[in-house]
Amino acid sequence: MLLTSGKPFHDYVDVENATVDRTIFSDQAIYDAELERIFARAWNFMCHESQIPRPGDFLLNFIGEESVIATRDKKGELQVLLNSCRHRGNAVCRAEQGNARSFLCTYHGWTYGLDGKLIGVPGYKDFYHEQLDKSQWGLVSAAKVASYKGWVFATMDPEAPDLEEYLGPVGRIGIDLCASRGDMIAVEGVQKNIIGCNWKLAVDNLFDYYHVAITHASAFMTEFMPGRNAARRAAGQNPMNHRVLLGDYGHAIGGPKVPQEEWDAIGLEDTGPINEEWRKGPVAQEALGEAASALRGQPNIWPNLWLTGGGSQFSLRLPKGPHATEIWWFTFVDKNQPPEMQALRAKLSTRAFGPAGMLEQEDGENWDQSTRATRGPIARRYPLNYQMNLRRGEPTITEQGVPYIDAAINEHGQLWTYLAWAEWMDAESWADLKANRTPTPRAPF
Ligand code: FES
Ligand code: FE
């Protein structure tokens, strides 16, 4: 696909020199193409099954900028429906979450069942003379809806591979880790706030351990971040010891590598009840072998679902134009934990991220300023730099076929994300993307 500039999208990401053209963070035409080529094609995270346990339960979410209803029909089957009436396009559901028997359009009253079928049309007999073929005018349904261990995803593209294949081992591991903590349920409510940044810069940051000491200096000073002693700080943030996993279709995990002996040596007693969240242990090893045993990094499920390193919070980065991103935070707890433990988990979550979270306030300011500077015709002439430890580090493949790179702190996760971005954007179809993407295990950097 070519824009009016005539450039293929690959030209915006210079993998050889590890630079990225700032235009991709602010150009409206590029943004519009992202909605079509990435979001309308990918598997998008919808909700956790515990958020819609009964028939009629629903939760509104987005695919790109388009509102969709994730619900359960009368048979209990998961459905994802485009929230747009087939008559004039009005939304058929305005509440963010709830339970409904059907979806009634408030414009002229067309009514849809929980499975999206058009079941009621005012004046069907007198105005339409019973000739309107209701079977043809149901809500648009997702091409595929699937749950992986309770986390529900949907794609609008029938050519997309099935969810598990799409996720691959690198995409699945973050969910595996969260699922392994017990009978997980979502804490009621989703934290939502808008940051004035391009969605890709928010994704970029989740692999970024370079910023932590500077951006979050106040979090360390106030002891908000786990750094109460030098040994722990060294283990958790050692810039010389990192590990990156690069997955199919743009999934990636990146961050510090902390061998278990190191955690054991420093002791974690003082971290209280969330100790286990720092340990990735047997589940990770089973899924990824050696690649995951020491991993303390952050997974991103392409395109926009961040699973925090602690593993109990998932964040969606929903695009709202090139210069705004709505950040959603879901928190998960074990259903069988005592209520006070669940409450503590929820409290810790709101303190770290979301509109009142210490970390995200600090991050958001930076992303906002970075995005602003992509708009200027002068600044745009100068690309962004992703050269840290470029071509350093040893790519290895586990027995399970999972590639990883051990290196000092680096920007490989970000560069992989932008390379995937270019591949998704240039691909004409799923078949094209499958045929022309950069195969793992070898990244070209
Ligand atoms: Fe929905 Fe007319 S727009 S009934
Ligand atoms: Fe940060």
Side-chain angles (χ1 to χ4, degrees):
M1 182 184 192
L2 293 179
L3 292 169
T4 42
S5 66
K7 278 166 69 165
F9 290 101
H10 267 88
D11 286 4
Y12 291 88
V13 180
D14 182 344
V15 174
E16 187 61 27
N17 295 304
T19 61
V20 173
D21 191 320
R22 297 195 207 197
T23 310
I24 71 166
F25 303 105
S26 58
D27 185 274
Q28 186 67 44
I30 291 179
Y31 174 80
D32 292 343
E34 286 175 344
L35 297 180
E36 193 183 321
R37 299 226 149 182
I38 296 175
F39 292 96
R41 214 180 246 174
W43 280 91
N44 295 263
F45 177 62
M46 294 287 106
C47 62
H48 189 262
E49 287 197 48
S50 63
Q51 293 175 295
I52 49 170
R54 298 163 303 154
D57 287 344
F58 67 85
L59 186 142
L60 284 196
N61 203 327
F62 292 87
I63 291 184
E65 284 200 63
E66 296 178 78
S67 173
V68 291
I69 310 165
T71 186
R72 269 187 208 273
D73 62 24
K74 283 188 178 145
K75 292 186 216 142
E77 302 287 327
L78 294 165
Q79 299 279 352
V80 172
L81 310 165
L82 197 64
N83 186 15
S84 173
C85 179
R86 294 292 302 281
H87 180 229
R88 287 290 185 284
N90 182 33
V92 299
C93 181
R94 307 281 179 94
E96 290 176 61
Q97 202 172 347
N99 184 276
R101 274 179 300 189
S102 57
F103 298 107
L104 167 77
C105 177
T106 54
Y107 201 164
H108 312 93
W110 284 25
T111 304
Y112 302 88
L114 297 169
D115 54 4
K117 290 201 176 87
L118 179 60
I119 53 175
V121 176
Y124 179 67
K125 197 165 162 209
D126 296 333
F127 312 151
Y128 288 98
H129 315 288
E130 297 184 353
Q131 285 169 356
L132 176 72
D133 183 357
K134 284 194 266 188
S135 71
Q136 297 301 306
W137 294 94
L139 294 176
V140 174
S141 295
K144 296 183 184 184
V145 182
S147 164
Y148 179 68
K149 298 192 173 178
W151 281 266
V152 180
F153 293 77
T155 175
M156 287 294 178
D157 193 330
E159 303 302 319
D162 287 346
L163 179 61
E164 285 206 29
E165 185 192 334
Y166 172 82
L167 293 172
V170 175
R172 290 196 295 265
I173 185 64
I175 298 178
D176 290 338
L177 289 165
C178 191
S180 73
R181 296 211 168 94
D183 192 356
M184 301 307 278
I185 52 169
V187 169
E188 201 176 327
V190 180
Q191 282 180 275
K192 302 176 181 178
N193 67 304
I194 291 179
I195 293 179
C197 70
N198 183 276
W199 69 275
K200 296 186 293 302
L201 284 170
V203 173
D204 177 322
N205 175 263
L206 75 91
F207 302 112
D208 186 322
Y209 278 79
Y210 192 34
H211 81 289
V212 178
I214 303 297
T215 297
H216 302 304
S218 54
F220 283 111
M221 280 188 251
T222 58
E223 298 287 337
F224 177 83
M225 290 272 264
R228 264 171 284 189
N229 65 54
R232 282 194 61 207
R233 193 155 40 230
Q237 304 294 337
N238 182 355
M240 302 315 289
N241 200 9
H242 275 231
R243 176 166 287 183
V244 179
L245 277 69
L246 308 174
D248 287 329
Y249 306 121
H251 311 301
I253 305 177
K257 172 186 166 188
V258 187
Q260 194 61 51
E261 320 81 75
E262 224 169 293
W263 280 124
D264 292 343
I266 57 177
L268 290 171
E269 298 72 28
D270 61 340
T271 58
I274 56 166
N275 266 5
E276 288 309 307
E277 295 187 2
W278 295 86
R279 295 168 185 267
K280 305 231 161 178
V283 176
Q285 245 173 39
E286 200 180 298
L288 295 177
E290 157 57 3
S293 58
L295 193 68
R296 174 68 184 82
Q298 320 256 9
N300 185 53
I301 293 181
W302 176 269
N304 62 340
L305 180 66
W306 170 27
L307 319 182
T308 60
S312 58
Q313 282 187 281
F314 287 17
S315 177
L316 262 183
R317 282 73 195 288
L318 295 168
K320 300 289 173 190
H323 310 121
T325 302
E326 192 164 308
I327 311 280
W328 285 21
W329 282 103
F330 299 76
T331 300
F332 302 101
V333 293
D334 181 354
K335 193 163 120 186
N336 305 311
Q337 272 182 323
E340 59 276 15
M341 287 279 286
Q342 294 182 0
L344 174 65
R345 177 66 267 171
K347 197 156 130 188
L348 289 171
S349 296
T350 54
R351 283 185 187 171
F353 300 112
M358 185 147 184
L359 303 183
E360 203 162 72
Q361 290 185 48
E362 296 169 335
D363 289 322
E365 284 294 320
N366 293 336
W367 307 342
D368 182 308
Q369 294 296 325
S370 293
T371 300
R372 282 170 201 241
T374 65
R375 303 170 78 158
I378 302 166
R380 263 194 201 188
R381 294 175 200 148
Y382 303 92
L384 302 182
N385 183 305
Y386 292 85
Q387 294 169 343
M388 187 187 295
N389 274 312
L390 184 66
R391 284 184 281 278
R392 306 240 173 191
E394 207 35 58
T396 313
I397 310 166
T398 65
E399 272 175 25
Q400 292 84 346
V402 180
Y404 67 92
I405 304 171
D406 276 351
I409 188 168
N410 59 75
E411 293 173 333
H412 301 345
Q414 292 94 318
L415 208 48
W416 183 249
T417 300
Y418 292 115
L419 175 60
W421 175 87
E423 289 172 351
W424 278 74
M425 294 291 278
D426 277 326
E428 295 294 333
S429 63
W430 257 104
D432 193 10
L433 178 62
K434 283 183 181 176
N436 295 313
R437 74 201 150 109
T438 304
T440 56
R442 291 271 178 256
F445 46 82

